[in-house]
Amino acid sequence: MRTYAKPVAAVTGALALAASLTACGGSSAASDEKVVTVYSADGLKGEKGDGWYDKVFADFEKETGIKVKYVEGGSGEMVQRALREKSNTQADVLVTLPPFIQQAGSKGLLQPYAPKGADQVDGADKAADGSWTSVVNNYFGFIHNTKELPEAPGTWEALLDAKYQDKLQYSTPGVAGDGTAVLIKALHDFGGQAPALEYLKKLQANNVGPSSSTSKLAPKVDKGELLVANGDVQMNFAQAKSMPNLAIWFPAKEGGKPTTFALPYAAGLVDKAPHTENGKKLLDFMLAERAQREVSAVGGGFPARKDVKPTDANALALAELMEGVEVFEPDWADIDENLSSYVDAWKSATGS
């Protein structure tokens, strides 16, 4: 079991996260040989054009002449969109968080392709059949407002306090990758489905309600509209540059250690992609050493390649943030197989 770091009270980052959605070009894009369409979970594109995607896509277009068309949404939302378009494929590259990347693979949405440099990605961070490879490593976490709530709550149980009523929100399991991660972490920390759902049922008294996108919660926390919300380390670390009242923390079960698990941005080549070769080139580019070195410095995340060990200020701050936090590995095969039943059970328990 890997062990990393104790949460720090405040973080600084390198960019802000995009929450905008850019529509893809549809049939006109399919006739343009110099285009590649990316469907992605939110978190890597900057609101001010200063995110990792912004840098990588601009460099890619400059070097190859291939324009990147970008569509953003929740992890589950992107997979469902690709699934609806299966008979008329629009996307070339799909980037989502687990367990949705595994879901995309099991539904036949991806074709095998190992990008250059994939041999330097740990086996747990890529598919055995070559259908997807992590391009940015990341971890699940929570955030709190440092002005209204200087000290992080610390435990799951603390969040049941009445002071969090209508001041707490987490994104929707089954729709958002980070929302699904709330359920996965609760299943682990509470030791199974029954106690996890019993807890989440109690927490519902304080929960504001559903949110399809986790990125929309951080601005509410920064402004004090919420005291606590879920998120992930890369996205929230990046957002903290323009949202000074955010701090990342990792809930523990009362009496236990703070825990988290890897929640990487994983990319796959879409089956029957209209621009397969361009998709391969973009995947190669994202996993190249130069782009991987920019994951921390520009994107506030962790490189997917184990041979890339950045020493920039963000990389050092991220290592400190993770110090002392216990990292567990979910049973992704079980989650992929039973995700629908877990989500249905969560809906039933919480009345969502």
Side-chain angles (χ1 to χ4, degrees), residues 63-128:
E63 292 190 17
T64 66
I66 299 169
K67 180 176 177 58
V68 178
K69 294 199 171 183
Y70 179 70
V71 180
E72 178 181 280
S75 286
E77 179 187 356
M78 291 296 93
V79 171
Q80 287 304 310
R81 178 166 178 166
L83 192 60
R84 290 194 302 269
E85 297 170 349
K86 199 172 181 181
S87 61
N88 182 28
T89 308
Q90 301 295 307
D92 301 300
V93 172
L94 178 66
V95 185
T96 73
L97 306 181
F100 296 98
I101 194 67
Q102 290 91 339
Q103 186 182 81
S106 66
K107 291 182 180 297
L109 294 177
L110 305 175
Q111 57 176 302
Y113 179 66
K116 295 173 184 176
D119 60 318
Q120 292 296 329
V121 176
D122 279 335
D125 295 327
K126 59 188 177 183

Side-chain angles (χ1 to χ4, degrees), residues 70-218:
Y70 179 70
V71 180
E72 178 181 280
S75 286
E77 179 187 356
M78 291 296 93
V79 171
Q80 287 304 310
R81 178 166 178 166
L83 192 60
R84 290 194 302 269
E85 297 170 349
K86 199 172 181 181
S87 61
N88 182 28
T89 308
Q90 301 295 307
D92 301 300
V93 172
L94 178 66
V95 185
T96 73
L97 306 181
F100 296 98
I101 194 67
Q102 290 91 339
Q103 186 182 81
S106 66
K107 291 182 180 297
L109 294 177
L110 305 175
Q111 57 176 302
Y113 179 66
K116 295 173 184 176
D119 60 318
Q120 292 296 329
V121 176
D122 279 335
D125 295 327
K126 59 188 177 183
D129 64 359
S131 59
W132 57 266
T133 305
S134 296
V135 292
V136 172
N137 275 342
N138 193 16
Y139 296 92
F140 174 68
F142 270 64
I143 50 176
H144 68 101
N145 177 289
T146 56
K147 188 176 180 181
E148 303 293 332
L149 190 69
E151 294 294 325
T155 67
W156 286 108
E157 289 82 359
L159 296 177
L160 298 176
D161 192 288
K163 73 179 180 181
Y164 295 107
Q165 186 172 358
D166 296 329
K167 289 289 187 177
L168 175 151
Q169 189 172 17
Y170 62 91
S171 51
T172 308
V175 177
D178 289 325
T180 305
V182 172
L183 181 55
I184 292 170
K185 180 169 154 59
L187 289 168
H188 171 270
D189 287 2
F190 287 93
Q193 181 172 314
L197 293 179
E198 182 182 353
Y199 169 80
L200 291 172
K201 180 179 181 179
K202 293 176 183 176
L203 185 65
Q204 197 66 11
N206 290 343
N207 187 18
V208 170
S211 174
S212 62
S213 175
T214 314
S215 66
K216 295 176 181 177
L217 302 182

Side-chain angles (χ1 to χ4, degrees), residues 108-344:
L109 294 177
L110 305 175
Q111 57 176 302
Y113 179 66
K116 295 173 184 176
D119 60 318
Q120 292 296 329
V121 176
D122 279 335
D125 295 327
K126 59 188 177 183
D129 64 359
S131 59
W132 57 266
T133 305
S134 296
V135 292
V136 172
N137 275 342
N138 193 16
Y139 296 92
F140 174 68
F142 270 64
I143 50 176
H144 68 101
N145 177 289
T146 56
K147 188 176 180 181
E148 303 293 332
L149 190 69
E151 294 294 325
T155 67
W156 286 108
E157 289 82 359
L159 296 177
L160 298 176
D161 192 288
K163 73 179 180 181
Y164 295 107
Q165 186 172 358
D166 296 329
K167 289 289 187 177
L168 175 151
Q169 189 172 17
Y170 62 91
S171 51
T172 308
V175 177
D178 289 325
T180 305
V182 172
L183 181 55
I184 292 170
K185 180 169 154 59
L187 289 168
H188 171 270
D189 287 2
F190 287 93
Q193 181 172 314
L197 293 179
E198 182 182 353
Y199 169 80
L200 291 172
K201 180 179 181 179
K202 293 176 183 176
L203 185 65
Q204 197 66 11
N206 290 343
N207 187 18
V208 170
S211 174
S212 62
S213 175
T214 314
S215 66
K216 295 176 181 177
L217 302 182
K220 295 180 181 180
V221 174
D222 182 59
K223 293 173 185 174
E225 294 173 23
L226 297 172
L227 293 177
V228 172
N230 68 311
D232 62 68
V233 172
Q234 177 277 325
M235 178 175 67
N236 297 140
F237 188 92
Q239 288 171 316
K241 181 180 180 181
S242 60
M243 300 179 194
N245 297 319
L246 293 187
I248 299 169
W249 65 289
F250 304 90
K253 191 172 183 302
E254 203 164 61
K257 292 182 178 180
T259 68
T260 188
F261 62 96
L263 205 59
Y265 293 90
L269 187 66
V270 177
D271 188 45
K272 299 181 179 64
H275 310 100
T276 294
E277 293 307 310
N278 293 349
K280 290 179 179 178
K281 289 176 183 177
L282 180 59
L283 289 169
D284 289 347
F285 199 86
M286 288 195 288
L287 208 56
E289 280 193 49
R290 184 179 74 175
Q292 286 291 297
R293 290 193 181 281
E294 294 169 339
V295 166
S296 57
V298 178
F302 305 80
R305 289 179 58 147
K306 57 189 176 184
D307 62 335
V308 175
K309 302 183 185 301
T311 56
D312 59 88
N314 284 347
L316 297 177
L318 286 162
E320 184 181 1
L321 175 68
M322 295 298 297
E323 189 180 326
V325 179
E326 185 179 276
V327 179
F328 65 91
E329 186 173 333
D331 184 345
W332 290 116
D334 170 73
I335 293 166
D336 182 38
E337 182 179 351
N338 298 301
L339 179 60
S340 294
S341 64
Y342 289 147
V343 171
D344 287 345

